[in-house]
Structures are given as structure tokens and as C-alpha cells.
Amino acid sequence: MKPYLDRAPFYLTCGSLISILFSIAASHILLALALAALLLSSERMRLPPIKLPLALFVIGTVISWLASGHIHDGTPQIRKFFVFTVLLLVYSTFRRVSEIRAIALIWAGVTTLSAVRSLFQFWQKYQDSQDLHQNFYDFYIGQRITGFMSHWMTFGGEEMIVLLFLLAFLFFSTQRRWKAAGWFCAAVLGLSLVLGFSRSIFLLGFPVGLLYLLWFRKRWLVAAAPVLAMLAFLVAPTALKERVTSIIQPHAQTDSNLHRSITRRTGVQMIRAHPVLGLGPEVMKDAAQFDRYVPSDIPRPLPVGWYGHLHNIYLQYAAERGIPTMLALMWMIGKSLWDFAAGLRGRLASTEARFVLHGAIAVILAVLAEGLLEYNLGDSEVLMLFLAMIAFGYVAKEAVVVDSRP
């Protein structure tokens, strides 16, 4: 009976990692059960070697929360540290690269189902715009495809992470089994990702991660990528072309260009006023608090948009929790990148662990790039996948058992 109990944390962790793609409630229940099972098992509890920056980030957040005077407002961010237990659970229970490969393939399958649903959603929204005799672009931007998720940014963030990890498997894994199905999933996910119209994802985050993977796969593909992108743009539907060109030619308030500019400038004002401890977690969701820091030269009323956060992870963490706490998080992420790159330069460069390390690096780079334009780590779903990728990278780097079986 005891061996089964010892494996329970692993299977519950797998269930949590998979269910986050369609139900945050189910995922968190399984995460809690996995943590309880780990505590009751004989498995040794381990954290990846990022304990110091992680501890500084947690401590900095708690100090900022206690000093803010808004204890109730900031409580959700303290509760969100529960998601960080995925680092402990994955690093303590995963042992084989084959186990990580299985999760990558299951993620791809589940997310592809979500993407297929999103394609039907896209078609339905197009039909609705035609029935209402409305311009599709204006109709669609405020109600985009979501797949199994509740918001298009969460859906797009999950797709980006899963697709990059899948491509790392397709490019670098030595296992041939499932690759044909993998390419089909990649095609569906790529189409859905683009039709999501989230510029920070399909024009910034994903291309950064993809270019990294292409560079280490075949470097000439990096030079070919802009040419292929231009050809794709020329044959793209009108609405998609408009979405791309909206970067420099926005559709008034339909696009978020001005809104993002205001949140950036406001974030800088917040950081200048509270550089060490910040305003406190979640404080800026109070409209009155946010309004205090909006530069005086910006006319009112403000453009349509969500002002509950700054749509930028660097400004968000610095404004909420102070510059030192933001830097602690960047140290944690930067150390992960350094360690994974070091693993690829060493003995793991020729093993199956290579695809995991390349996938983890690609995902981290993509999330950091997208984070310039969106508070992507504020979504528990995206944060959980991101932390799982970091833990996967350390499991692969350690390579306790490299299983070469198909």
C-alpha cells in the first residue's frame, strides 16, 4: 500500500497541471490534495535551487502587504502564493524526462481541444457580426475567443506556453512517437493563437520564444521567419491585417494603445512615489487609488479599458511591492535561465533532457517579452504553467533518471 501512497502526490500533481487548462477550481483542489499527499508520503520535499530569490520575493510581498494599510485588499495576492507550491510538488515528485514528455503531450492534446472550440467560437462571432451588420473588427475585439477559459488573455497565455513546449519537443526530442500528432496539434494551436488577436502574444511573446527555438534548431530559419511572416501578412484576412497595423494605426479606443500608454505612465508615477515598498498588493484595483497617480496632463475621462493593473509585469510588481521585490522575482527568473543554459552547454546537451531545457527557456523568454505589454503572471492559470516549466527545467537539468524509452 505504501508505494501507492508515495506515488499519489505525483499523480495528483499531474492532474492539477492538466486540469488548469480547463478548470482552475479542479486544478487547485488537486493541488491541495497533492500537497497533503506529499506531506503524508515518504517522498523528500524539495524546492528547485531558486530558494533565496523566491524567499526574498515572498518576504518582500508580505512586508509590502503589511505596510500598505490595505490588508483586506491585498489578501488575494497572499493567497496566490498557494500556486507557487507547484514548484515544490513538481520538483519533489517528477523524476524522469519521460514523465515531463507525457505532460507536454497531454497539455498539447487538451489545449488543442480548447483551440478547436475556439475556432468554432470565432466562426460564430463572425456570423453574429454579419447578422448584426456590424464591422467584424469592432465587434470582435471586445469579445474574443476563449476556448475553455473565461478570458482571451488567459487562453492565449496558456496556448503560447503549451505551443512553445510542444515545438521544443518536436524540434529537439529524440522520440519519434507522437510527432505526427504533435505537428497537427501545433498547426491548430498556431491558428487559434493568431485568431485570438492578442498582440502581446502573437506579435511579441510567441515570436520571441519561437525565434529562440529556431536559432538552436536551424539558424537559417531565423532569417527565413520574417520573410514567411510578411508573406502570411499579405494573404491574411483584412481584420487580421488591421490588428497587426493597429500597433501604429489604432482604431481610436477600440484598440488599447492609448490605454496602455496611460497605465505605463501612471505606473512610473506610482514607483517614483513608493520605490521601496510600493503601494501594496492589489491596492491599485481601487479606482480612487489609481486615479491619484494618473499624470495631470492626461485628459478625463480616461479611455475605455481595465485600470485594475498596469498591463506590465515589471511596472506592476515594482508599483505594488517595490523595486527590490520586483528585482527578487527577476533574479529568480534570471537564475533559472542561466541554469538551464548552463545545462545545455554541459552533458545534457545530447540527451532527451535537451527538449525540456530548450522549452523552458523559450517559455520564460516569451512570458518576459509578453510581460512588457500585459500582466500575464497575474493570471493564476498562466502563472501555474510558468512555474511548472521552471520546475520541469530543473528536473531535466538534474536528470535523476533519463528514460530513453519511447
Side-chain angles (χ1 to χ4, degrees), residues 45-323:
M45 291 191 290
R46 310 183 310 153
L47 273 171
I50 48 174
K51 292 185 281 291
L52 179 56
L54 176 60
L56 291 175
F57 174 69
V58 172
I59 292 169
T61 299
V62 172
I63 292 173
S64 172
W65 174 56
L66 295 174
S68 69
H70 297 268
I71 301 297
H72 181 268
D73 293 337
T75 301
Q77 286 300 318
I78 302 302
R79 289 201 301 264
K80 189 167 283 191
F81 281 130
F82 172 65
V83 177
F84 281 76
T85 60
V86 75
L87 289 168
L88 171 71
L89 287 164
V90 170
Y91 196 59
S92 299
T93 63
F94 278 73
R95 288 291 179 270
R96 300 172 181 270
V97 172
S98 60
E99 294 169 346
I100 300 175
R101 185 172 64 237
I103 289 295
L105 293 172
I106 295 171
W107 272 358
V110 174
T111 311
T112 298
L113 292 176
S114 186
V116 169
R117 183 170 190 261
S118 77
L119 297 180
F120 282 103
Q121 290 173 340
F122 185 86
W123 176 251
Q124 185 61 58
K125 290 176 187 297
Y126 177 78
Q127 291 294 105
D128 290 344
S129 71
Q130 297 302 298
D131 293 342
L132 295 170
H133 304 289
Q134 293 186 17
N135 176 272
F136 175 69
Y137 188 95
D138 295 333
F139 178 85
Y140 181 62
I141 291 301
Q143 48 178 334
R144 284 171 258 169
I145 54 177
T146 59
F148 294 151
M149 293 292 99
S150 60
H151 195 278
W152 53 83
M153 290 304 302
T154 305
F155 175 54
E158 287 188 340
E159 281 190 310
M160 179 181 75
I161 290 173
V162 171
L163 179 54
L164 287 172
F165 198 26
L166 174 61
L167 289 174
F169 164 75
L170 295 172
F171 288 168
F172 302 109
S173 174
T174 59
Q175 305 300 321
R176 295 183 179 276
R177 190 178 181 185
W178 300 110
K179 284 202 171 181
W183 281 113
F184 171 78
C185 290
V188 175
L189 289 172
L191 177 60
S192 176
L193 190 79
V194 172
L195 293 182
F197 275 38
S198 296
R199 295 174 298 181
S200 61
I201 294 174
F202 85 95
L203 293 178
L204 181 57
F206 178 72
V208 167
L210 178 61
L211 287 174
Y212 167 82
L213 293 176
L214 292 177
W215 178 262
F216 286 95
R217 176 58 178 170
K218 291 187 182 296
R219 293 186 179 180
W220 65 265
L221 289 172
V222 175
V227 177
L228 294 175
M230 181 59 67
L231 292 174
F233 174 79
L234 293 175
V235 300
T238 301
L240 183 56
K241 289 180 180 178
E242 287 185 64
R243 191 56 176 163
V244 174
T245 57
S246 69
I247 298 172
I248 55 176
Q249 295 178 330
H251 300 70
Q253 292 192 29
T254 301
D255 295 311
S256 60
N257 299 38
L258 182 57
H259 163 245
R260 291 289 202 277
S261 175
I262 291 171
T263 57
R264 281 195 298 270
R265 292 184 59 193
T266 303
V268 171
Q269 293 287 87
M270 292 174 174
I271 295 167
R272 285 175 176 168
H274 304 276
V276 179
L277 296 179
L279 292 172
E282 300 280 326
V283 170
M284 66 183 69
K285 281 190 174 180
D286 181 345
Q289 288 290 331
F290 183 90
D291 196 60
R292 286 177 54 196
Y293 297 93
V294 176
S296 58
D297 63 316
I298 293 177
R300 311 302 175 91
L302 298 178
V304 175
W306 170 249
Y307 292 95
H309 58 69
L310 300 176
H311 301 277
N312 179 303
I313 56 174
Y314 311 98
L315 293 177
Q316 181 71 28
Y317 285 119
E320 270 194 347
R321 312 172 198 207
I323 294 174

Side-chain angles (χ1 to χ4, degrees), residues 364-384:
I364 291 173
L365 292 176
V367 168
L368 290 177
E370 189 211 345
L372 291 167
L373 298 174
E374 188 53 55
Y375 181 36
N376 47 14
L377 296 181
D379 277 332
S380 292
E381 297 93 335
V382 174
L383 176 63
M384 187 168 177

